[in-house]
């Protein structure tokens, strides 16, 4: 089954052709990051406008790369939640138009379910049940993937998402948007241990996470250094910050793995591209005797291939949309509405 998948939940206009949930025939991405960089973050209205301008061309590119045409598609999939509402609506309405014109099924896909499905593309042998850490710009969840379309969230952040914390800390350090990857590069030039940052715990919720205290500690260190006229070792601070975030994510993930007896562990979402997190997860998986599944870097960040992968499994259980499909800014991964 060949699925044409559309993703416009944030600042990437993406389209892909995916066969039977696992084989990516093409994946085209138009990134708006350079433009949003001018404003230090994503400007929602600009994101929607660029999606409207780029979506036809990006879809054409994905079809061309796959060597296929629209009539070869068996279904149209689209991210319909969660994300920036104006951005999502561009993709949803475009996908609806294609589905109506071609007379092919429309498959609504939850963005975070898509991030999890990125692991299926990279690891042919991976199948539920497994435990997955989703760490992106908007989410930090520990999810039991009970089946391809059945999920249970067993841990989450009480405040900022991990990616949000990276982006805010980057801004304080004077690094450009998108900050996560910039902190990653800077941290690679130093060794952690110079700055003592907090290790927040959520009372009575050992699997939950908190990042706002860490972010505030970086803000305070930067302000104190500025006030005293002292130099700030930005690389060392980036290394310590990344080390704390990796510790928060990995320690909770493997605590959950112990508690619920999982030996198959995955991690996905933009933050799973972080090099310190990846090596920490590998180390923790080894000592837990668990198998770790990480997507390659290009599948960690937003793309449409992951949406096409998840769509195959949604279609199999009859999760099909119709011409009344709407977009939603927020939605629980376990209980989608459409
Ligand atoms: O999954 P994603 O592309 O979009 C959302 O669904 O939110 O995640 C974007 C987030 C951003 O906050 C970005 O700074 C972060 O992932 N990110 C990273 C790295 N690459 C992307 N954070 C830390 N290290 C990285 N290498
Ligand atoms: Zn995402």
């Amino acid at each position: 089954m060949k699925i044409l998948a559309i993703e416009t939940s944030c600042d990437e206009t993406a389209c892909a052709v995916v066969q039977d949930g696992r084989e990516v025939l093409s994946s085209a991405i138009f990134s708006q990051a350079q433009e949003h960089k001018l404003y230090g973050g994503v400007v929602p209205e600009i994101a929607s406008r660029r999606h409207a301008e780029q979506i036809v061309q990006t879809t054409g590119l994905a079809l061309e790369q796959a060597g296929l045409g629209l009539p070869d598609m068996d279904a149209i999939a689209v991210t319909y939640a969660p994300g920036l509402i104006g951005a999502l609506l561009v993709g949803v309405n475009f996908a609806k138009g294609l589905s109506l014109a071609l007379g092919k099924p429309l498959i609504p896909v939850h963005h975070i379910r898509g991030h999890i499905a990125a692991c299926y593309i990279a690891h042919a042998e991976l199948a539920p049940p497994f435990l997955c850490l989703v760490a992106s710009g908007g989410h930090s969840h520990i999810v039991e993937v009970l089946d391809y379309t059945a999920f249970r969230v067993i841990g989450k952040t009480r405040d900022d998402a991990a990616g949000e914390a990276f982006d805010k800390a980057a801004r304080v350090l004077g690094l450009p948007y998108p900050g996560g990857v910039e902190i990653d590069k800077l941290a690679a030039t130093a060794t952690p241990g110079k700055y003592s940052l907090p290790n927040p715990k959520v009372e009575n919720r050992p699997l939950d996470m908190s990042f706002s205290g860490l972010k505030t500690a970086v803000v305070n260190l930067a302000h104190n250094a500025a006030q005293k006229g002292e130099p700030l070792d930005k690389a060392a601070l980036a290394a310590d910050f990344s080390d704390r975030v990796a510790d928060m994510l990995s320690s909770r993930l493997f605590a959950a793995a112990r508690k619920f007896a999982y030996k198959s562990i995955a991690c996905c979402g933009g933050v799973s591209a972080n090099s310190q997190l990846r090596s920490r997860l590998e180390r923790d998986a080894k000592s837990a005797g668990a198998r770790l599944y990480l997507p390659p870097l290009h599948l960690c960040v937003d793309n449409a291939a992951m949406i096409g992968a998840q769509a195959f499994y949604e279609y199999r259980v009859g999760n099909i949309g119709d011409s009344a499909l709407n977009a939603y800014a927020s939605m629980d991964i376990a209980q989608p509405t459409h």
Side-chain angles (χ1 to χ4, degrees):
M1 178 182 195
K2 292 185 188 69
I3 296 178
L4 180 76
I6 314 276
E7 153 66 42
T8 63
S9 68
C10 191
D11 61 344
E12 325 280 357
T13 314
C15 182
V17 180
V18 182
Q19 180 153 308
D20 299 335
R22 302 262 177 172
E23 194 188 343
V24 181
L25 303 183
S26 68
S27 179
I29 301 181
F30 171 80
S31 175
Q32 309 172 0
Q34 286 308 319
E35 190 170 2
H36 295 292
K37 196 176 257 185
L38 301 172
Y39 306 94
V42 178
V43 182
E45 188 177 325
I46 293 179
S48 312
R49 289 173 183 275
R50 295 299 164 262
H51 288 313
E53 287 165 8
Q54 295 297 330
I55 196 157
V56 173
Q57 205 180 329
T58 310
T59 304
L61 200 59
L63 288 166
E64 193 185 312
Q65 281 172 5
L68 297 165
L70 279 174
D72 301 315
M73 299 300 110
D74 298 303
I76 310 296
V78 64
T79 305
Y80 75 124
L84 300 172
I85 195 69
L88 287 165
L89 281 168
V90 176
V92 164
N93 281 305
F94 182 69
K96 270 201 246 185
L98 281 180
S99 151
L100 275 170
L102 298 168
K104 299 286 164 72
L106 177 68
I107 313 173
V109 177
H110 188 287
H111 182 76
I112 300 302
R113 291 186 178 200
H115 271 301
I116 295 174
C119 301
Y120 303 140
I121 297 171
H123 303 281
E125 69 282 22
L126 178 65
F130 60 93
L131 190 66
C132 189
L133 168 67
V134 183
S136 69
H139 292 77
S140 298
H141 281 4
I142 297 172
V143 182
E144 281 187 276
V145 183
L146 305 165
D147 204 341
Y148 289 102
T149 55
F151 306 86
R152 189 163 75 105
V153 177
I154 55 174
K156 59 181 167 193
T157 178
R158 309 306 290 185
D159 38 61
D160 295 345
E164 204 178 341
F166 267 112
D167 294 339
K168 287 178 180 168
R171 199 188 283 221
V172 174
L173 296 181
L175 301 171
Y177 170 85
V181 68
E182 296 295 330
I183 290 211
D184 198 350
K185 280 191 235 159
L186 189 60
T189 66
T191 325
K194 179 165 181 173
Y195 292 100
S196 139
L197 296 176
N199 184 10
K201 292 200 167 51
V202 181
E203 213 174 321
N204 300 323
R205 305 274 310 170
L207 302 183
D208 281 357
M209 299 156 256
S210 166
F211 296 98
S212 73
L214 258 179
K215 176 196 66 194
T216 309
V218 172
V219 172
N220 290 342
L221 278 165
H223 286 174
N224 285 345
Q227 267 173 0
K228 290 181 191 155
E230 287 169 4
L232 184 69
D233 188 342
K234 289 185 181 180
L237 187 49
D240 278 317
F241 177 77
S242 309
D243 182 66
R244 290 287 89 211
V245 174
D247 177 69
M248 175 84 68
L249 293 168
S250 194
S251 64
R252 305 303 190 272
L253 176 63
F254 283 93
R258 275 193 300 280
K259 182 167 179 190
F260 295 98
Y262 279 97
K263 289 288 180 191
S264 273
I265 317 277
C267 178
C268 63
V271 178
S272 65
N274 183 266
S275 42
Q276 264 170 285
L277 176 62
R278 289 172 88 90
S279 43
R280 172 66 191 259
L281 290 169
E282 267 154 23
R283 206 179 77 205
D284 289 351
K286 206 169 173 192
S287 47
R291 173 85 204 266
L292 180 68
Y293 298 91
L294 289 174
L297 299 193
H298 69 279
L299 289 173
C300 291
V301 289
D302 287 349
N303 63 89
M306 66 187 198
I307 303 302
Q310 180 61 21
F312 175 71
Y313 298 103
E314 300 288 347
Y315 180 79
R316 285 206 316 193
V317 296
N319 287 341
I320 312 288
D322 58 26
S323 59
L325 181 71
N326 211 334
Y328 302 88
S330 62
M331 185 183 288
D332 192 326
I333 187 178
Q335 287 156 336
T337 354
H338 56 81

